[in-house]
Amino acid sequence: MINACFEFSRAITRQPADSVVNGLSAEDHGTPDLAQMLIDHEHYVATLKETGADVTVLPPLAEFPDSVFVEDDALCLPDCAILMRPGAPTRQGEVMHMADALRACYDKVFEIAGPGHIEGGDILMTAKEILVGKSARTDADGVSELKEIVKPFGYSVRDLQTPPDVLHFKTDCSLLDASTILSTERLARSGCFEGYRVLYTPDGEEAAANAIRFNQFVIMAAGFPKTAALLREHQYDVREINNTECAKIDGGMSCLSLRF
Ligand code: CIR
């Protein structure tokens, strides 16, 4: 049986545009170095491909500085894709540029029409449910609309809260396998992962929580040795990718791809 939450045959990414240096960030961490980001992006794509997946790299979109973070534009399920409605005004126009790529892969592509907002970074799909954290980018109306769209396919959506001052729900957690989640303590403390096995990011390495399980690999940001060791102790096949440049504009491993 396929574990649709981490076994994937396809991924969609988008090449960073020169304008990525103007990407949104909650705090000033300096300007991303485009040349380094392109090297890291290539490494990321190559790592996804190494699992045997077919990876599409869409062309850069200069008018949308954050468009490299394709995860926020859609939710990809086995049966259908849903175009999101980002809460960040500068990101709303990105979505229509993702629509054609998804229509080429799916028979059924739905869209969040509004008035609510929802971004893919706030959605964690597990083997049994879809968890959505409300945040500054995702509101109750957006979650309700998603619930209605996925109900006929038998998915249950659990409405949660992204911790205050955390960009997205998945900034602080990732799925490692059908029943295991990597999480910061600040997020898991809310009790949202009851019934799952939880591995906590070690103190000072909270920024490592945004990883992805993609086929046989757990792909995480480099520079978090305690988290990498913890995951290897638990027998995960860990791949580390430099994320210094995306991190300056609050991006991480999950944001860089749509996986299905
Ligand atoms: C933003 O603020 O929208 C981008 N600079 C970062 C988006 C990161 N996406 C994600 O966590 N899914």
Side-chain angles (χ1 to χ4, degrees):
M1 202 191 94
I2 290 209
N3 274 299
C5 52
F6 64 84
E7 288 178 6
F8 303 110
S9 57
R10 302 198 61 157
I12 297 178
T13 65
R14 186 182 290 285
Q15 186 92 346
D18 296 2
S19 60
V20 73
V21 296
N22 301 317
L24 297 170
S25 62
E27 282 171 36
D28 184 4
H29 301 290
T31 306
D33 177 317
L34 177 64
Q36 182 62 49
M37 196 187 280
L38 287 167
I39 292 169
D40 300 338
H41 196 262
E42 213 172 286
H43 185 194
Y44 181 86
V45 169
T47 307
L48 299 180
K49 283 186 178 166
E50 204 183 321
T51 72
D54 177 350
V55 183
T56 302
V57 182
L58 297 171
L61 282 178
E63 63 275 41
F64 298 105
D66 286 295
S67 55
V68 64
F69 302 122
V70 289
E71 173 180 68
D72 297 317
D73 297 338
L75 173 65
C76 291
L77 299 174
D79 340 66
C80 64
I82 302 119
L83 295 165
M84 299 281 108
R85 191 161 185 268
T90 58
R91 300 203 57 190
Q92 285 167 3
E94 280 171 35
V95 173
M96 60 175 270
H97 293 275
M98 187 50 73
D100 285 346
L102 288 174
R103 288 196 181 104
C105 304
Y106 280 96
D107 291 337
K108 297 189 188 87
V109 178
F110 299 96
E111 53 192 273
I112 302 289
H117 295 99
I118 181 163
E119 296 191 358
D122 279 315
I123 306 177
L124 181 73
M125 166 90 185
T126 79
K128 57 176 182 180
E129 58 184 342
I130 299 173
L131 307 179
V132 190
K134 291 195 290 297
S135 69
R137 304 283 183 87
T138 292
D139 57 27
D141 285 344
V143 183
S144 303
E145 196 178 343
L146 176 70
K147 267 187 198 166
E148 290 308 309
I149 292 171
V150 301
K151 207 180 348 176
F153 298 95
Y155 295 102
S156 72
V157 174
R158 191 145 57 95
D159 196 332
L160 298 164
Q161 194 63 49
T162 297
D165 302 323
V166 172
L167 174 60
H168 285 129
F169 189 70
K170 274 188 299 190
T171 305
D172 267 33
C173 65
S174 339
L175 188 84
L176 294 175
D177 60 40
S179 54
T180 311
I181 286 169
L182 173 68
S183 176
T184 61
E185 283 198 45
R186 72 183 162 203
L187 175 60
R189 221 184 288 127
S190 66
C192 59
F193 299 131
E194 217 168 286
Y196 292 91
R197 177 172 78 137
V198 180
L199 299 183
Y200 296 101
T201 49
D203 274 352
E205 293 200 356
E206 288 73 14
N210 180 269
I212 52 168
R213 173 73 189 267
F214 190 83
N215 298 325
Q216 68 268 40
F217 298 152
V218 172
I219 304 175
M220 63 174 283
F224 301 98
K226 291 188 232 158
T227 308
L230 173 76
L231 295 175
R232 289 189 173 115
E233 250 164 57
H234 284 83
Q235 312 306 322
Y236 294 105
D237 190 352
V238 176
R239 295 298 159 111
E240 296 167 74
I241 294 185
N242 184 60
N243 189 53
T244 49
E245 305 318 300
C246 286
K248 289 176 184 165
I249 47 171
D250 304 338
M253 293 296 113
S254 76
C255 328
L256 294 169
S257 58
L258 287 169
R259 304 163 289 276
F260 50 101

